Amino acid sequence: MKILMLTNAANGVSAQLLKKQAEKRGHEVETYDPTDLVAFISSTVSGHDQMYVKDTHSEIQRLYSKQFDVVLARFSGRDVFQYGLAMLQHFNGNLKVPVSSDPLALSIAANKFTSHQCFSLAKVRTIPTLFVNKPVDFAFIVKKLGLPLVCKTPLGSQGSGVFILSDELSISTTLSAFSRTNKNLLLQKFIDSGKPSSDLRIFIVDGEIAASYRRWALDSDFRSNYSLSHSGEKVKLTTEEEEMALAAAYSVGLPGICGVDIVRDSADNNKPYIIEANGNPSLEGVTKVTGVNIAEKIIIYLERIARKSSSKTKDSEEADNQLKSFVMNHQIQPGTLEYINQLARKGDLNGAISELRKTMP
Ligand SMILES: Nc1ncnc2c1ncn2[C@@H]1O[C@H](COP(=O)(O)OP(=O)(O)O)[C@@H](O)[C@H]1O
Ligand SMILES: [Mg+2]
């Protein structure tokens, strides 16, 4: 198959591992930086939307989406992320190419507060968290979260934008400084994982736990990101941790590819708490520490969704044809069709026809 990898880190370890495994399995990979893409929305009612790419000489070339079996999303960073999501949505929603991860789910997961809302709804044990825009009464914060507390910008990654605050002065000055720039903050109870600090990274691929490891923080730090410390070891998860990790990935809509972080509370029998779900998890640490070939698992997952999509197309064509003849025979107004078509595409032809009957005089 032909894979389009959307990445702004084509030479990074993760992208290279994925490319190597894809080629090993006989696939072709074309890599584009999302910010080099130009999306065209057509004025045609039936929607002949298109995608273009600026080549190295800044010339615009048409990128024929039909040649690609699947788009793999591997982009991140403040400057690229939103535009990358829009391009991913264009491929998926408008050009009908299957994608590795749903753009809306990636957007939810990238925001530490919206993802915590999902965890909470899915009853995954969250760390007590406040989301604030303006400075808040110190006594209220301490009552809810205790001291010290962890403060986070909602969109940070790799540990940047995560810091610890331990007294009234540092909390009030931090909150008022961020408030003046109209930046929201997450305040969170500090979970003491022991010394040195550590957390668990659980890598989920295609709805299953593919690998997991414990990441160690540097002695002087409480953040266990592999990108900061480059140290970790294999870990055996408890059943509760496995269930939590899967529920967290599903709750944000990323059961396909997700890196879930969990922290064990050393002061309470290692009770596990969810930290976050990453939609663009690095392959470097997990591959080095566990030896599991995560890149290959991801490519096998892409093979499955590409296959599923091509068989779904046949089914939905069949459903479309049946619907079309039903509509012609019963003189249904074209304006009522979109919702019905959606039902039919989901494979619920009977539901679609019964909805159609309701619209008939
Ligand atoms: N509430 C917390 N209590 C203790 N440690 C935390 C807490 N929140 C985050 N950490 C530590 O900081 C690291 C980075 O935090 P995280 O929320 O995952 O941000 P990032 O997206 O930057 O990785 C975590 O992997 C964990 O080691
Ligand atoms: Mg993290």
Side-chain angles (χ1 to χ4, degrees):
M1 64 179 178
K2 193 155 171 181
I3 303 170
L4 190 159
M5 179 153 47
L6 269 185
T7 178
N8 53 326
N11 295 322
V13 175
S14 301
Q16 288 296 319
L17 284 171
L18 287 160
K19 189 162 185 284
K20 193 171 134 201
Q21 286 304 321
E23 285 166 356
K24 207 166 152 195
R25 293 183 65 83
H27 306 308
E28 203 183 318
V29 182
E30 270 186 36
T31 302
Y32 294 100
D33 187 313
T35 60
D36 287 334
L37 299 181
V38 175
F40 174 67
I41 307 259
S42 160
S43 59
T44 318
V45 179
S46 56
H48 297 295
D49 296 339
Q50 296 167 349
M51 189 65 95
Y52 290 82
V53 63
K54 280 191 296 179
D55 69 11
T56 38
H57 313 293
S58 282
E59 277 176 25
I60 296 271
Q61 307 274 355
R62 173 97 185 261
L63 203 61
Y64 288 93
S65 55
K66 285 213 167 42
Q67 64 179 308
F68 297 107
D69 298 284
V70 65
V71 176
L72 171 56
R74 289 297 314 184
F75 52 84
S76 66
R78 220 181 22 182
D79 302 336
V80 179
F81 188 64
Q82 287 304 330
Y83 194 75
L85 288 183
M87 295 304 103
L88 192 64
Q89 177 61 32
H90 201 63
F91 277 118
N92 190 24
N94 296 57
L95 305 176
K96 309 292 179 209
V97 187
V99 294
S100 56
S101 306
D102 175 61
L104 179 62
L106 286 175
S107 164
I108 288 172
N111 183 308
K112 294 186 188 347
F113 193 69
T114 51
S115 53
H116 271 67
Q117 290 174 318
C118 296
F119 302 149
S120 173
L121 284 175
K123 301 199 180 346
V124 181
R125 188 181 298 115
T126 48
I127 304 172
T129 301
L130 290 169
F131 193 43
V132 303
N133 179 265
K134 294 198 176 70
V136 179
D137 180 46
F138 177 72
F140 170 76
I141 293 175
V142 175
K143 187 168 149 234
K144 287 290 188 203
L145 310 177
L147 283 179
L149 57 84
V150 178
C151 187
K152 302 182 187 183
T153 55
L155 300 179
S157 69
Q158 302 198 328
S160 74
V162 176
F163 44 100
I164 198 157
L165 301 171
S166 34
D167 56 59
E168 179 162 10
L169 185 62
S170 62
I171 292 173
S172 71
T173 48
T174 305
L175 293 193
S176 58
F178 276 90
S179 160
R180 265 197 293 281
T181 57
N182 199 24
K183 292 261 177 356
N184 309 321
L185 284 176
L186 260 88
L187 305 176
Q188 205 164 60
K189 182 179 157 86
F190 172 72
I191 305 292
D192 185 358
S193 56
K195 268 276 161 237
S197 296
S198 68
D199 68 4
L200 313 172
R201 161 57 60 95
I202 298 117
F203 216 112
I204 287 157
V205 182
D206 204 359
E208 283 175 19
I209 294 177
S212 50
Y213 71 113
R214 178 196 279 235
R215 310 182 299 181
W216 294 104
L218 297 171
D219 279 344
S220 52
D221 204 337
F222 71 101
R223 299 165 303 164
S224 313
N225 301 70
Y226 188 83
S227 53
L228 296 174
S229 66
H230 294 279
S231 88
E233 65 181 18
K234 283 190 205 171
V235 73
K236 173 105 184 72
L237 300 177
T238 65
T239 308
E240 185 185 18
E241 287 161 351
E242 288 181 349
E243 286 171 0
M244 274 177 77
L246 286 169
Y250 275 94
S251 78
V252 294
L254 293 175
I257 302 171
C258 191
V260 175
D261 297 343
I262 285 178
V263 60
R264 289 174 172 166
D265 187 355
S266 65
D268 188 6
N269 290 316
N270 284 333
K271 196 186 237 185
Y273 288 85
I274 180 82
I275 297 181
E276 65 167 350
N278 290 277
N280 186 35
S282 166
L283 273 60
E284 186 178 358
V286 67
T287 308
K288 275 196 187 141
V289 175
T290 68
V292 174
N293 190 341
I294 290 287
E296 183 183 45
K297 288 183 186 284
I298 292 177
I299 301 301
I300 293 171
Y301 163 64
L302 297 184
E303 290 167 4
R304 191 178 72 70
I305 58 174
R307 263 199 316 272
K308 194 173 115 198
S309 154
S310 61
S311 62
K312 206 167 83 193
T313 311
K314 278 195 214 98
D315 289 350
S316 64
E317 259 170 23
E318 166 78 355
D320 275 359
N321 287 339
Q322 289 193 41
L323 271 176
K324 262 185 210 138
S325 64
F326 186 90
V327 168
M328 300 236 297
N329 293 338
H330 294 83
Q331 294 178 346
I332 306 285
Q333 292 303 307
T336 59
L337 275 181
E338 192 39 44
Y339 170 61
I340 313 287
N341 267 330
Q342 273 176 23
L343 282 178
R345 285 212 181 85
K346 280 188 199 148
D348 184 10
L349 191 61
N350 288 336
I353 289 180
S354 87
E355 285 298 321
L356 266 179
R357 285 191 197 284
K358 282 189 217 155
T359 69
M360 291 161 64

